[in-house]
Amino acid sequence: MRLRLLVVEDDRDLNRQIVTALEGAGYAVDRAYDGEEGHFLGDTEPYDAVVLDIGLPKKDGVAVLEEWRKAGRNMPVLILTARDRWSDKVQGFDAGADDYVAKPFHMEEVLARLRALVRRAAGHATSDLVCGPIRLDTKASRVVVDGAAVKLTSHEYRLLAYMMHHTGRVISRTELVEHLYDQDFDRDSNTIEVFVGRLRKKLGVDMIQTVRGLGYLMTAPEGAAAPLR
Ligand code: CA
């Protein structure tokens, strides 16, 4: 199977060099030239690994990475940092980066580090989150209920992914709004109710309880769930 990678780098020459090297190494590669485009692709397409520049127009690499991680996107990410910007590295790791390469770099180093990341990720037992009959494949962004695929919008998917990362505890509407929306989005927590309603309908199984005045709680039906207190 051909592995699929994403390269997000605004320097067009460098982007082309990386893409050419990766394609030469046998990967299928998508490219993006700014943070918004990169974020969108990483949020909607399944990648085996991502090469992400930190200094990007429209949305910087750290913000892009933070949003992916909050949404449950856990593909390995190799960040590209400027040599003299050690703070980029710290921020990048805090945001969920798996490794970094400082510019200027040798392409061989990028290839070697990516190989290691992909191998490590493949070694993980599973990238699935499971709650009762619901299975969420965080790598492919797919949701299956009782073996049948359920088609969700990206907001619905992110909402479900967040709740499935936090089963067994009550999540407030405010917390969901903060994790689901960009800052410029209309932060109306009533919209969360609408999304939860749609999600319940699409999932067909009511695993999401409304806890009056507090928020929502997702628990697995059989013993596996965290005890309610
Ligand atoms: Ca850059």
Side-chain angles (χ1 to χ4, degrees):
M1 192 194 78
R2 217 157 157 229
L3 296 175
R4 193 166 168 210
L5 307 185
L6 171 66
V7 173
V8 190
E9 166 63 68
D10 59 312
D11 180 325
R12 288 187 174 256
D13 283 341
L14 186 55
N15 189 309
R16 183 177 39 75
Q17 286 170 35
I18 299 170
V19 168
T20 304
L22 294 177
E23 284 176 344
Y27 298 106
V29 188
D30 289 347
R31 68 204 78 190
Y33 300 99
D34 65 59
E36 278 176 9
E37 191 187 6
H39 174 261
F40 175 77
L41 285 173
D43 206 34
T44 49
E45 302 287 327
Y47 292 107
D48 295 290
V50 177
V51 177
L52 177 68
D53 184 31
I54 290 298
L56 290 170
K58 293 189 183 174
K59 184 178 276 187
D60 73 70
V62 170
V64 170
L65 184 52
E66 272 173 356
E67 286 174 26
W68 283 340
R69 295 315 193 210
K70 276 180 191 162
R73 309 288 295 159
N74 63 358
M75 64 285 197
V77 173
L78 175 74
I79 53 172
L80 303 179
T81 65
R83 179 176 287 278
D84 51 350
R85 291 289 302 272
W86 62 269
S87 58
D88 282 356
K89 265 173 251 172
V90 175
Q91 285 187 338
F93 280 118
D94 282 347
D98 297 277
D99 202 355
Y100 79 95
V101 172
K103 294 177 184 177
F105 49 79
H106 289 286
M107 208 56 76
E108 282 307 315
E109 185 178 358
V110 171
L111 289 174
R113 290 188 179 275
L114 278 174
R115 274 197 303 273
L117 285 182
V118 169
R119 200 167 47 228
R120 236 180 288 156
H124 292 164
T126 175
S127 58
D128 288 4
L129 296 173
V130 179
C131 185
I134 306 170
R135 181 175 289 273
L136 184 143
D137 180 345
T138 57
K139 214 167 163 185
S141 297
R142 268 197 296 264
V143 175
V144 164
V145 177
D146 281 328
V150 176
K151 205 163 158 44
L152 300 179
T153 64
S154 72
H155 268 106
E156 292 160 357
Y157 173 82
R158 281 152 63 181
L159 177 64
L160 181 64
Y162 190 77
M163 297 190 95
M164 288 187 72
H165 271 292
H166 299 94
T167 50
R169 109 170 147 72
V170 178
I171 306 168
S172 72
R173 286 183 185 81
T174 314
E175 184 179 345
L176 287 172
V177 169
E178 276 168 9
H179 283 86
L180 288 180
Y181 302 132
D182 295 336
Q183 258 132 25
D184 53 350
F185 193 89
D186 166 30
R187 286 174 164 240
D188 180 357
S189 66
N190 290 325
T191 57
I192 289 290
E193 252 164 278
V194 176
F195 283 125
V196 169
R198 285 194 207 146
L199 201 49
R200 281 177 171 144
K201 210 167 165 186
K202 285 192 180 178
L203 295 173
V205 287
D206 198 3
M207 308 286 299
I208 306 169
Q209 301 169 43
T210 301
V211 184
R212 280 192 70 154
L214 292 176
Y216 301 99
L217 173 67
M218 195 164 182
T219 44
E222 303 111 348
L228 302 181
R229 284 184 230 274

